[in-house]
Amino acid sequence: MSKQVKVLFVCLGNICRSPVAEGVFRQKVQDVNLQSMIEIDSAGTGAWHVGNPPDHRMSATAKRNGVDLTGQRARQFVRTDLSDYDYVLAMDASNRRDILRQDDGQGLEARVSLFREWDPDPGDYDVPDPYYGGSDGFEDVYAIVCRTTDALLRDLIARHGLS
Ligand code: 4NP
């Protein structure tokens, strides 16, 4: 049976930001025993890393914080994700533009949001891309993802009456 709420995290490569969002959110959902209600996945708008595991620097940061990204493999965002997922959450504005370009007449724009719209301290609303930077970037991404997924989960529980 289809789960009640479906959430897809989307970045560019699906090896740094969206995999850690998927992993952290999955753990929080399990912690409150709602895994049968909420479906979770991630994807990248680009195809360069399809089939690859998450970036080792992102996996190491996640692991230090008790979150396991092992087993995740990158996949590319496809047009049908827009009809399959209730919440398509873009990590930054350029990801959002690339996603919306694939809507072409489906009228599903309302399903697409910036992930940091749920962040209590959203800054410029982009999760900074850590790929070409130093290790601080991965720590920053983790902190943003952690507090934003907390708020996202609280909102979904309230909005959809999940228990
Ligand atoms: P992500 O980071 O979008 O957070 O997965 C990136 C990963 C790879 C590349 C860019 C961003 N790349 O250009 O290969």
Side-chain angles (χ1 to χ4, degrees), residues 11-19 48-49 129-132:
C11 63
L12 178 60
N14 194 209
I15 56 168
C16 298
R17 293 165 294 173
S18 60
W48 310 283
H49 300 283
D129 185 347
Y131 189 65
Y132 292 107

Side-chain angles (χ1 to χ4, degrees), residues 77-135:
F77 180 83
V78 290
R79 186 175 184 269
T80 49
D81 286 326
L82 277 168
S83 46
D84 287 346
Y85 287 86
D86 307 298
Y87 295 87
V88 177
L89 303 182
M91 293 291 131
D92 67 31
S94 84
N95 306 146
R96 185 169 188 273
R97 268 194 304 278
D98 290 339
I99 293 165
L100 288 174
R101 215 172 273 136
Q102 299 212 36
D103 181 48
D104 58 16
Q106 294 186 94
L108 299 172
E109 302 90 344
R111 297 180 176 210
V112 185
S113 302
L114 286 170
F115 174 64
R116 290 190 80 180
E117 286 172 33
W118 279 266
D119 187 344
D121 183 13
D124 64 0
Y125 289 89
D126 286 348
V127 181
D129 185 347
Y131 189 65
Y132 292 107
S135 58

Side-chain angles (χ1 to χ4, degrees), residues 3-15:
K3 296 191 187 182
Q4 199 171 334
V5 182
K6 298 183 177 190
V7 179
L8 181 69
F9 300 101
V10 184
C11 63
L12 178 60
N14 194 209
I15 56 168

